[in-house]
Amino acid sequence: MKDVVMTAEHTLEKLGLTAAELTGGTLDVRSPIDGRVLARVHETPVAEMDAVFARATTAFKAWRTVPAPRRGELIRLLGEELRAAKEDLGALVSWEAGKITSEGLGEVQEMIDICDFAVGLSRQLYGLTIASERPGHRMMETWHPAGPVGVISAFNFPVAVWSWNAALALVCGDPVIWKPSEKTPLTAMACQKILEKAVARFGDAPDGLLQLLIGGADLGKALVASEAVPIISATGSTRMGRAVAPIVAQRFGKCILELGGNNAMIVGPSADLEMAVRAIVFSAVGTAGQRCTSLRRLIVHNSIRADLVARLKKAYAGLPIGDPLAQGTLVGPLVDEASGQAMQAALKAAEAEGGTVFGGRRVTDGVPEGGVYMQPAIVEMPGQTEIVKTETFAPILYVMGYDGFDEALEMQNDVPQGLSSCVFTLNMREAEQFLSPAGSDCGIANVNIGPSGAEIGGAFGGEKETGGGRESGSDAWKGYMRRQTNTINYSAELPLAQGVKFDI
Ligand code: UN1
C-alpha cells in the first residue's frame, strides 16, 4: 500500500524540516530502501564545538535549578508532541533506516513510553536517609544534576536510543549534546524540531537544552574529549566503545556504553516449539537482524534440533522481503552496501569453519532497485567457531546443538559479548538455572520470549564487551546524576566519627 504512504519529501516537510536545511550541505543522506539521496545536510563545523560546549554549560546552570517535577513537564509535553508526530516520525525512520512500517512506529512508541516513564521519575529522584553513628546528627544522600550529557547513537535505533537518554537526562537536570549516526541525521533533526515545539509550549526553558552535531567522527571525538561533558552515553560497536572509553576515563568522565551483542536462545527439549519458532523468526529477522538485541545464536537440544531447523527453514522460505513501507513486508533492506558485504563475508567464513548455509542470498526480484535486500540466513554450525563469536549486523542465525543443559549454558556464555539472552523451556529447573548466579552472564535474560524487543521499564544494557552501561528504565537515571552524601549536625557538640579525639 505504498501509494497511501507519504513521500519522504512530504514527510520531511510535515516534520518541519526546511529546504534550506535539507539542501546545499556536504553530507548526503541516502535511503536504504532504494539508495536515493534524500537530502544533503549541513555538517556542524568542528570549529563550532567550543561554542556548543559553552551553550550547554550555560543551559546546565539554569536547568539544574528548575525543580525536577517542572523539568518533567517539558518531557510530558515532548511525549504529547511525539504522539502527534508518531506517524510522520515513524515513516521517516523507515525512509532513513529502512525499518518496516510497524517497527518504525514501534520505535516512536518506545520514545513515548520513555517520556511517560521520565515524567513519573521527575517526582521520584529519591535519595536516602542514613542512620548516623553520632548523636544529634543526620545523614542523607542527595542526587543532583551532573552536567551536559553527550549522546552518541547508531543508525539502527536512530530516535529511540536518543529518547532513552534525553528524556532521563533532561528530567535529571542535564542538557544533551547529540551526535547521531552520519547515516541518520534527518530523524535526529526531526527530533530536535519536535523537542523545540515542546520547549516553546513549556515557556521558560533555557536555550541549548538539546544541541545536534551533524557529521562524522571528528565531532564525536571532540565531544568525547571535552571536560565540559561529564557523561558520555554511547551506543554502537565494541570498536567504537574501545575508542571512547579510555578518553572519557582519562578525564574522569563517566561512560554509559551500550555496545555489541551476540545474543543467544537456548531451546530445551520441553520447549513450546511453535512459540519458539515465532520468537526466533522475529528476533533473528526483525529489523533485518540489525538490532543489538537481534538473535544470532540458537543453541538447541539435539533431540529436537532437526525438527526445529526444519520448521525454521519453512518459515524463512516464506518471509516477505522488500520495500519496508509496503504492507506485509517483514524484512526490509540492510542499511548499506558495506553491510551486505559484511553479511556475505560472514557467511563465507562460516562455511570455511564447517557451517552449512540456508538462504543468505541477495534478493533483486520484487524489491526496490538500489537497496541491499538479503534473504535471512540459517547456518548450521559444528560448534561455536570464531565467526559465531563475532557480531555481524545482519540476519544470520547460527545453529548449534547440545546434549546437557550445563553445556548449553556454557556455550551461551562463551562469547565476548553479554547483552541479551533467553531460554525456551517448560522445565522450571532449567528456567531458574538460566536466571541464577551461575546462569546467563548477560544484562538481559528472558524466559520463553526472544532476546529483542525489550520494554523501556527495565534497565537496558549488558556486560563484558557490551560495555556495562544501563539505559532506560529501573534506576538507570542514577547514571545521569551525581550522588552527594550529606551529614547534618543539629547538636551543640562536635563529636568526630570513629570516636576520634582531637581537642584543641
Ligand atoms: C538497539 O538495538 O540498539 O530491545 C536497541 C530492543 C529495543 C532496543 C534495541 N527495545 O530490541
Side-chain angles (χ1 to χ4, degrees):
M1 289 245 297
K2 177 98 177 271
D3 36 27
V4 301
V5 176
M6 298 293 176
T7 63
E9 287 70 18
H10 193 74
T11 304
L12 287 164
E13 194 187 314
K14 278 177 75 190
L15 287 163
L17 283 105
T18 64
E21 290 168 313
L22 298 172
T23 54
T26 44
L27 180 62
D28 285 2
V29 188
R30 288 180 186 277
S31 174
I33 297 178
D34 53 10
R36 186 164 64 92
V37 174
L38 294 173
R40 295 210 157 87
V41 298
H42 304 269
E43 296 182 62
T44 310
V46 179
E48 231 171 72
M49 291 299 285
D50 283 342
V52 167
F53 298 137
R55 256 197 305 276
T57 304
T58 308
F60 174 59
K61 285 185 176 155
W63 193 237
R64 68 183 173 183
T65 64
V66 174
R70 174 83 183 125
R71 298 194 296 250
E73 170 64 6
L74 175 63
I75 300 305
R76 192 188 68 76
L77 294 168
L78 175 61
E80 278 189 9
E81 294 299 337
L82 282 167
R83 282 174 170 87
K86 182 173 174 181
E87 247 178 73
D88 293 326
L89 188 58
L92 190 58
V93 168
S94 295
W95 287 109
E96 203 181 32
K99 291 193 184 191
I100 63 169
T101 302
S102 169
E103 291 192 84
L105 291 171
E107 193 174 338
V108 184
Q109 186 56 48
E110 198 163 351
M111 302 174 82
I112 295 166
D113 294 343
I114 194 74
C115 284
D116 286 355
F117 178 88
V119 174
L121 193 61
S122 72
R123 291 181 186 269
Q124 302 177 76
L125 302 171
Y126 298 137
L128 294 172
T129 303
I130 301 163
S132 168
E133 68 189 51
R134 287 170 280 191
H137 284 56
R138 185 167 69 79
M139 283 176 75
M140 63 183 189
E141 184 169 273
T142 312
W143 291 92
H144 289 306
V149 175
V151 176
I152 297 172
S153 61
F155 79 87
N156 66 327
F157 273 82
V159 290
V161 168
W162 166 71
S163 72
W164 297 349
N165 285 282
L168 295 201
L170 289 171
V171 153
C172 290
D174 306 335
V176 172
I177 305 171
W178 181 17
K179 157 79 181 70
S181 161
E182 282 168 83
K183 292 173 188 159
T184 54
L186 297 178
T187 39
M189 289 159 72
C191 287
Q192 193 176 36
K193 300 273 181 197
I194 292 167
L195 181 66
E196 274 166 14
K197 283 191 186 173
V199 165
R201 285 172 63 196
F202 182 80
D204 54 355
D207 284 342
L209 280 183
L210 172 65
Q211 299 183 81
L212 266 189
L213 307 177
I214 301 292
D218 283 3
L219 299 169
K221 276 190 191 140
L223 179 64
V224 163
S226 173
E227 306 257 345
V229 187
I231 296 163
I232 297 288
S233 174
T235 301
S237 66
T238 296
R239 197 165 56 91
M240 180 274 289
R242 272 195 218 287
V244 164
I247 300 171
V248 179
Q250 184 72 26
R251 60 178 178 84
F252 301 106
K254 281 198 286 181
C255 263
I256 301 171
L257 295 176
E258 210 271 275
L259 311 175
N262 193 351
N263 318 296
M265 178 191 291
I266 297 175
V267 186
S270 66
D272 180 331
L273 282 193
E274 208 186 302
M275 248 170 72
V277 167
R278 279 166 46 208
I280 292 165
V281 176
F282 168 66
S283 50
V285 158
T287 327
Q290 299 172 107
R291 292 193 189 207
C292 20
T293 49
S294 290
L295 178 65
R296 310 208 180 278
R297 298 180 294 134
L298 190 62
I299 302 167
V300 50
H301 194 268
N302 280 322
S303 65
I304 52 166
R305 178 175 172 169
D307 182 12
L308 182 58
V309 169
R311 291 186 197 215
L312 286 173
K313 286 183 177 170
K314 195 165 161 235
Y316 269 51
L319 283 171
I321 304 170
D323 184 343
L325 288 165
Q327 209 178 30
T329 299
L330 292 179
V331 186
L334 291 183
V335 70
D336 56 17
E337 282 293 339
S339 292
Q341 281 160 17
M343 178 168 175
Q344 299 290 17
L347 292 176
K348 258 205 181 130
E351 266 174 339
E353 290 170 20
T356 312
V357 176
F358 173 85
R361 294 220 181 78
R362 186 146 179 179
V363 181
T364 45
D365 281 352
V367 300
E369 238 174 87
V372 181
Y373 293 85
M374 305 292 295
Q375 291 173 334
I378 297 171
V379 189
E380 290 204 73
M381 295 300 294
Q384 213 156 240
T385 62
E386 219 36 53
I387 192 67
V388 180
K389 295 186 181 184
T390 312
E391 181 191 41
T392 304
F393 232 50
I396 301 176
L397 181 65
Y398 300 107
V399 183
M400 280 84 54
Y402 77 90
D403 291 313
F405 196 71
D406 288 347
E407 181 197 347
L409 261 179
E410 239 168 74
M411 275 167 92
Q412 134 68 33
N413 290 342
D414 186 24
V415 292
Q417 309 85 354
L419 180 55
S420 190
S421 60
C422 60
V423 62
F424 264 75
T425 182
L426 299 178
N427 178 331
M428 174 264 222
R429 288 182 180 152
E430 288 177 353
E432 290 293 332
Q433 194 182 340
F434 187 74
L435 304 180
S436 79
S440 162
D441 64 2
C442 291
I444 299 171
N446 298 332
V447 176
N448 291 331
I449 68 162
S452 71
E455 300 176 22
I456 60 89
F460 184 87
E463 308 300 340
K464 304 194 288 187
E465 281 191 4
T466 304
R470 291 296 186 277
E471 297 175 317
S472 195
S474 182
D475 65 352
W477 62 270
K478 290 180 176 169
Y480 303 81
M481 302 198 86
R482 65 184 170 88
R483 183 198 310 246
Q484 189 172 68
T485 303
N486 313 120
T487 307
I488 301 125
N489 178 3
Y490 59 91
S491 77
E493 308 291 325
L494 197 66
L496 300 178
Q498 298 90 42
V500 170
K501 296 282 173 239
F502 205 87
D503 295 326
I504 51 167

